Amino acid sequence: MNMVKDIQKLLDDYTRWLRDKTVLRDVGRDWVQVTTPHLDRHNDCLQFYVRREDNGYLLTDDGYIISDLINSGCPLDSPKRQELLKMTLAGFGVQMDDEQLLIKATPENFPLKKHNLIQAMLAVNDLFYLASPHVASLFYEDVTRWLELADIRYTPKVKFPGKSGYDHMFDFVIPRSRQQPERIIQAISNPKKESAENLVFKWLDTKETRPSESHLYAFMNDSSFEVSSSVVEALKNYGLQPVLWSQREEVRELLAA
């Protein structure tokens, strides 16, 4: 029972942090700029814009995420990348108009739609930011290819409801078998503190809605970065299973069973 209270406190603290660190600014022409505490790959706070529209609201990133990736040498024009981009956005109910990420909200579902837009911005940023002319493939694609070569069955891009009422998307879900429980995999291209904290919240919020034996494996890209031991320990402390990409073969049998 104490563990339930501890996790509830963590979720309450996270919600309070989001509220206290969110800043609103009137930028004219009926638009309000919302600055969130979530960080992008430049360690800048993510921003989006809100305008009242008909009986609800329009939320947009004003093209920031896509244009930033393109300007950083990450073209998104290949069929495979377009398919992955559309699948990721569709999972959050987010649309794309030219380079803008858009979502519409009503007064009743505004918190959920805001959450979905931010999660879509983070997901697209994390999926593609390493895909420069000097990088052969995306980390998500590397994980997909390895799962298929290892004959590990999976369902990609699965969304689960959280206790908070928010939905959370995970990269791969391996269904329960006779030998192993449900296994969930998240590919972390940029394994830093911010990415770890976001994943911990997703898991804590989702865990109680999944079977009690479910495990979450965090695959971390250590081919381009040195993964901090503090990130690994933080994931372990909250019941997640960190897996360095260089050590992925150690969990092959557990995932294939």
Side-chain angles (χ1 to χ4, degrees), residues 153 174-183 254-257:
R153 66 199 188 286
I174 302 170
R176 176 183 178 183
S177 68
R178 292 181 180 179
Q179 294 80 26
Q180 294 292 330
E182 174 184 77
R183 288 138 292 173
L254 289 173
L255 298 178

Side-chain angles (χ1 to χ4, degrees), residues 190-192 220-229 231-232 244:
N190 184 19
K192 294 183 179 180
M220 297 184 290
N221 182 10
D222 63 342
S223 58
S224 302
F225 299 97
E226 180 179 350
V227 180
S228 169
S229 60
V231 170
V232 174
L244 297 179

Side-chain angles (χ1 to χ4, degrees), residues 81 84 127-128 130-131 135-143 145:
R81 290 183 183 179
L84 182 55
L127 272 174
F128 292 110
L130 280 178
V135 180
S137 64
L138 309 178
F139 185 55
Y140 177 89
E141 292 178 347
D142 291 340
V143 178
R145 193 157 40 244

Side-chain angles (χ1 to χ4, degrees), residues 67-133:
S67 62
D68 179 55
L69 289 169
I70 293 173
N71 293 334
S72 299
C74 173
L76 303 176
D77 51 0
S78 73
K80 180 173 285 189
R81 290 183 183 179
Q82 280 291 316
E83 180 183 0
L84 182 55
L85 175 61
K86 290 177 181 178
M87 182 169 61
T88 301
L89 294 179
F92 292 106
V94 172
Q95 298 177 324
M96 189 167 66
D97 181 8
D98 196 9
E99 294 178 359
Q100 291 189 65
L101 304 186
L102 305 169
I103 195 167
K104 294 185 178 182
T106 65
E108 292 75 23
N109 65 17
F110 184 89
L112 176 60
K113 297 297 184 178
K114 182 207 76 165
H115 169 81
N116 286 348
L117 178 62
I118 292 173
Q119 293 304 307
M121 293 169 69
L122 290 170
V124 172
N125 185 80
D126 190 55
L127 272 174
F128 292 110
Y129 91 104
L130 280 178
S132 71

Side-chain angles (χ1 to χ4, degrees), residues 16-31:
R16 190 178 305 111
W17 172 76
L18 283 179
R19 183 181 63 247
D20 294 345
K21 298 297 183 179
T22 298
V23 179
L24 307 181
R25 185 166 73 93
D26 189 342
V27 292
R29 292 184 299 172
D30 301 322
W31 288 99

Side-chain angles (χ1 to χ4, degrees), residues 106-210:
T106 65
E108 292 75 23
N109 65 17
F110 184 89
L112 176 60
K113 297 297 184 178
K114 182 207 76 165
H115 169 81
N116 286 348
L117 178 62
I118 292 173
Q119 293 304 307
M121 293 169 69
L122 290 170
V124 172
N125 185 80
D126 190 55
L127 272 174
F128 292 110
Y129 91 104
L130 280 178
S132 71
H134 306 291
V135 180
S137 64
L138 309 178
F139 185 55
Y140 177 89
E141 292 178 347
D142 291 340
V143 178
T144 301
R145 193 157 40 244
W146 180 77
L147 291 172
E148 292 175 351
L149 289 173
D151 199 24
I152 298 171
R153 66 199 188 286
Y154 67 86
T155 301
K157 297 296 181 185
V158 177
K159 187 162 59 176
F160 295 133
K163 184 179 178 182
S164 65
Y166 294 141
D167 290 336
H168 302 284
M169 181 181 290
F170 294 92
D171 289 334
F172 310 94
V173 175
I174 302 170
R176 176 183 178 183
S177 68
R178 292 181 180 179
Q179 294 80 26
Q180 294 292 330
E182 174 184 77
R183 288 138 292 173
I184 301 168
I185 298 175
Q186 190 72 15
I188 305 179
S189 300
N190 184 19
K192 294 183 179 180
K193 180 183 177 183
E194 176 78 7
S195 301
E197 289 176 346
N198 287 336
L199 183 56
V200 166
F201 171 70
K202 284 171 61 171
W203 180 236
L204 293 180
D205 196 32
T206 306
K207 188 175 181 180
E208 290 187 31
T209 69
R210 306 308 306 153

